[in-house]
Amino acid sequence: MNAFGHESVSRSQIVYPTGTLFAMKDSGLRIRVERELRERFVETCRVQDRPAAQVIREFMKQYVRDHSEGVDNEKSRPKKK
C-alpha cells in the first residue's frame, strides 16, 4: 500500500487499452493560474472522473485544430544558430 491507501503498482504493470495513447508524452508545460480557477477546474475534473492533465491536453489539441491554419509548421522553420 502507498501513502494514499492504494496498492502499489509499477509502471511495467500498467496496461493501457489499445488506441488510448495519442503519443508518448515527453514534454511538460508549467503555467501560473489563479488559485480559485485551479481549484474549481480540478474539482470539476474530479466530479467528471477525468484527469485534469487529460482535459488540458484535449483542449490544447482542439485549440491547435481550430486555430493553426496559416501558422508556420515548427519543422519547416530554419534552425537557429
Side-chain angles (χ1 to χ4, degrees), residues 10 25 30-31 44-45 61 66 75 77:
S10 72
K25 296 155 198 81
R30 187 173 182 154
I31 62 171
T44 302
C45 291
K61 290 173 191 174
D66 292 348
K75 293 178 183 176
R77 292 182 186 169

Side-chain angles (χ1 to χ4, degrees), residues 14-25 54 57-58 61:
I14 298 172
V15 177
Y16 295 99
T18 304
T20 59
L21 297 178
F22 180 76
M24 292 301 294
K25 296 155 198 81
Q54 178 185 21
R57 282 191 298 271
E58 289 171 2
K61 290 173 191 174

